[in-house]
């Protein structure tokens, strides 16, 4: 298994600003992912963070709005850019040790945009 | 496109009652199946998983799930729930050899003493 930490755990941000969320895994993993969980809803995959190359985004999510970095096998960041109140959500990082394997989740970052 | 349906959005039980949460998926190929649990204020944890073999899988805390391929279902069960089982339960699926995990909408379980 993998233990995942995220920073910050929560933040309140103003409209138009950007926030970068950090995700750290305690061991080397193959895959890292970013999800959004809006209040009362399920998890939606934003993108797969690829080490050393551009992230793979899901339909409805674009790099300009959610730039992602993954400089090594244990760390990734997600930036929520030019925020609006609609971006208020919980952002979750996950990791797995192989394609199709179970994913381990971080505690999430609760973002509120005012 | 793949999708996952959880029919029970909110379930209320008394302690010692039996539990069954439904999960159906739409995908014609080989899949890996998961149930995750999110206790209040905690992060998502893996409850159990099915990759292959015996379609009846056992997980942590007395939970089990049965994969019925003909019904595209992976229902979660527990014979006797406890107050501590109060949580949100998510079914998730990914197509074999892909990295994309599709989640159901979740079922909120409340267990009263």
């Amino acid at each position: 298994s993998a233990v995942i930490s995220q920073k910050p755990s929560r933040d309140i941000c103003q409209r138009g600003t950007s926030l970068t969320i950090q995700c750290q895994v305690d061991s080397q993993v193959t895959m890292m992912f970013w999800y959004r969980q809006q209040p009362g809803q399920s998890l939606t995959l934003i993108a797969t963070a690829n080490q050393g190359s551009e992230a793979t985004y899901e339909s409805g999510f674009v790099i300009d709005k959610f730039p992602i970095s993954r400089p090594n096998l244990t760390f990734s960041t997600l930036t929520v850019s030019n925020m609006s109140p609609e971006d208020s959500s919980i952002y979750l990082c996950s990791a797995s040790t192989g394609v199709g394997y179970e994913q381990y989740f971080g505690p999430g970052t609760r973002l509120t945009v005012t | 496109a793949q999708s996952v349906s959880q029919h029970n959005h909110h379930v209320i039980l008394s302690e010692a009652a039996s539990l069954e949460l439904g999960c159906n998926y739409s995908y014609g190929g080989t899949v890996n199946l998961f149930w995750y649990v999110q206790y209040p204020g905690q992060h998502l944890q893996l409850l159990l998983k099915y990759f292959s073999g015996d379609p009846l899988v056992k997980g942590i805390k007395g939970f089990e799930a049965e994969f019925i391929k003909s019904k595209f279902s992976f229902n979660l069960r527990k014979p006797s729930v406890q107050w501590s089982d109060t949580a949100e339960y998510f079914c998730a699926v990914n197509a074999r050899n892909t990295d994309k995990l599709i989640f159901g909408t979740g079922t909120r379980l409340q267990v009263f003493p």
Side-chain angles (χ1 to χ4, degrees):
Chain A
S1 66
V3 177
I4 300 173
S5 59
Q6 286 184 234
K7 289 195 294 187
S9 58
R10 59 178 62 222
D11 207 341
I12 301 172
C13 301
Q14 289 193 337
R15 180 195 300 262
T17 63
S18 298
L19 176 72
T20 295
I21 303 167
Q22 298 180 6
C23 176
Q24 180 74 55
V25 189
D26 69 342
S27 57
Q28 291 188 349
V29 290
T30 306
M31 319 288 290
M32 292 184 74
F33 307 88
W34 287 97
Y35 290 83
R36 183 171 71 184
Q37 184 179 21
Q38 294 186 302
Q41 297 188 26
S42 188
L43 284 78
T44 301
L45 180 64
I46 297 172
T48 302
N50 301 309
Q51 194 237 335
S53 65
E54 196 170 283
T56 305
Y57 289 84
E58 297 300 308
S59 176
F61 297 97
V62 295
I63 187 171
D64 290 346
K65 176 67 176 177
F66 298 101
I68 288 170
S69 78
R70 188 179 172 194
N72 57 50
L73 290 174
T74 63
F75 185 78
S76 177
T77 66
L78 167 75
T79 299
V80 186
S81 304
N82 188 25
M83 287 184 284
S84 67
E86 292 71 36
D87 295 320
S88 297
S89 188
I90 297 172
Y91 291 86
L92 294 145
C93 172
S94 76
S96 77
T97 55
V99 174
Y101 288 21
E102 62 263 39
Q103 292 182 22
Y104 299 94
F105 285 83
T109 296
R110 184 180 293 272
L111 170 62
T112 302
V113 184
T114 61
Chain B
Q2 290 182 63
S3 66
V4 179
S5 299
Q6 290 183 243
H7 314 296
N8 318 101
H9 298 295
H10 189 191
V11 174
I12 301 173
L13 295 173
S14 298
E15 274 192 320
S18 63
L19 170 72
E20 180 160 2
L21 302 182
C23 173
N24 288 89
Y25 64 93
S26 65
Y27 182 71
T30 305
V31 295
N32 296 328
L33 299 154
F34 308 87
W35 275 97
Y36 283 86
V37 60
Q38 190 169 30
Y39 297 104
Q42 297 188 28
H43 63 278
L44 272 168
Q45 301 171 39
L46 182 68
L47 201 54
L48 50 77
K49 62 189 179 187
Y50 172 80
F51 286 176
S52 63
D54 189 343
L56 183 61
V57 294
K58 295 189 184 298
I60 60 172
K61 303 187 181 185
F63 285 91
E64 64 180 30
E66 184 175 13
F67 170 49
I68 302 178
K69 188 174 181 180
S70 61
K71 295 184 178 180
F72 299 89
S73 70
F74 190 56
N75 292 353
L76 181 70
R77 299 194 293 247
K78 186 171 184 179
S80 176
V81 295
Q82 301 174 313
W83 176 79
S84 58
D85 293 324
T86 294
E88 188 96 21
Y89 292 81
F90 294 94
C91 180
V93 174
N94 71 3
R96 198 67 61 81
N97 299 322
T98 72
D99 55 21
K100 189 172 176 178
L101 197 58
I102 308 297
F103 281 85
T105 51
T107 297
R108 183 182 172 209
L109 172 66
Q110 280 185 292
V111 180
F112 289 96

